[in-house]
Amino acid sequence: MMTQGAARRLRLKGLVVKETLQILRDPSSLLIAFVLPVLLLLLFGYGVSLDANHIRIALVVENPTPEAERFIASFANSSYFEVDVMRHRATAEEDLVAGRMDGVVVLRADFAARLGQWDMAPIQLLLDGTEANTARIVRGYAEGVWLAWARQEAMSRGLPIAIPVVAEPRIWFNPELRSRNFLVPGLIAINMTLIGTLLTSLVVAREWERGTMEALISTQTGLPELLAGKLIPYFVLGMTAMALSVAMAVFQFGVPIRGSLMVLFGASAIFLVGALAMGLLISTVTRNQFVAGQVAIVSGFLPAFMLSGFVFEIGSMPGWIQVLTHAVAARYFVSTLQTVFLAGDIWSVILPDLGAMTLIALVFLAATSVRTRKRLD
């Protein structure tokens, strides 16, 4: 006679096999799990960059001199700038207003004469304030080029240059200052959010529409077996997609991974359980594929994209928005991924993130159990 535990295991195995066959027969699940993350990684990995390169700068030289030529060469030799030398300030200002230039550097007619005074003000920098972030970057780079040139010019003349503070920056974890190194790990978190919520919300909602879910509920299958049978196949599918995303990050985009793979995939497993449980809850509440897809995007993808720190710095958000971000699991997953990829296994950062993701996953699992139990009564 079969024991109760053996019967549970047999029913769970049957559910897992049934869900696996359904996944293999359903192209949409495979598209969401494998094609979608690849497309998003390629799109964002190559299309989104916070690196400032090829900045269009107009250099207005009112009086050509050897000093002015050396200064122009310092800009032209920089990898950040594309320099267009002009003689008339009005033309450069028109280009700046029209958006054809990111900045204008004006070398006044007395540029060479004022160099001997070293009052640090023989040039003028004009920027377009409508693009505030670009303007700050251009200002910083232009000031850096000017300061480096002024030092070299002073040394060649044997003149002192008074600099009250000399900054020697040391960039940790991302010394190349490649924005892709922290954008790609964050994008993996966005991918996993979208995959987890869409996989279960759409597919299970389809079962509600077809009536197969009610047929499952009417059997002797218990609630834990039903939930596990639904989650396990999609969990395996999601972790496979995670492995594919990590491989693309390392080999396609050259993002270093300095932490352990065990920590990386352990954190991914916790996060994915929460995302799958959220999708299962959405499908249970909506029971309609179209509505489930819309709710999954609005409640899963958009908060993960906007409030996780993937692109927008959480510290610069309003206070009440910062409080709201604590309920977004992707915030902690982005932090964990960026830490593991760029810094290593920093437990003071990873452990609180794992605790928060575990709590959020348990909340969604509990909510799904309560909601599904009402249908089993």
Side-chain angles (χ1 to χ4, degrees), residues 13 26 30 85 107 143 194 211 219 224 257 265-266 289 311 351:
K13 180 180 178 181
D26 183 13
L30 300 178
V85 180
L107 276 63
E143 289 177 349
L194 192 58
T219 64
I257 179 167
F265 283 97
Q289 290 185 73
V311 174
L351 289 179

Side-chain angles (χ1 to χ4, degrees), residues 218-254:
S218 64
T219 64
Q220 295 181 351
T221 303
L223 179 62
E225 300 160 18
L226 179 62
L227 294 179
K230 287 292 179 186
L231 292 177
I232 290 175
Y234 295 106
F235 175 82
V236 174
L237 193 63
M239 291 302 293
T240 305
M242 176 66 188
L244 176 62
S245 299
V246 171
M248 286 190 64
V250 174
F251 299 108
Q252 181 70 28
F253 298 107

Side-chain angles (χ1 to χ4, degrees), residues 171-203:
I171 309 299
W172 289 11
F173 311 132
N174 188 15
E176 302 90 354
L177 294 178
R178 294 175 68 236
S179 61
R180 187 177 292 172
N181 284 357
F182 67 88
L183 283 177
V184 171
L187 180 59
I188 293 176
I190 306 302
N191 277 343
M192 297 305 293
T193 302
L194 192 58
I195 290 171
T197 54
L198 281 180
L199 275 177
T200 49
S201 64
L202 291 179
V203 176

Side-chain angles (χ1 to χ4, degrees), residues 11 18 43 112 128 145 168 210 252 260 340:
R11 289 195 296 267
K18 175 256 181 190
L43 178 64
D128 182 3
V145 171
E168 295 184 1
R210 295 174 178 175
Q252 181 70 28
S260 71
V340 173

Side-chain angles (χ1 to χ4, degrees), residues 28 185 205 222 253 260 279 284 363:
S28 64
F253 298 107
S260 71
T284 304
V363 169

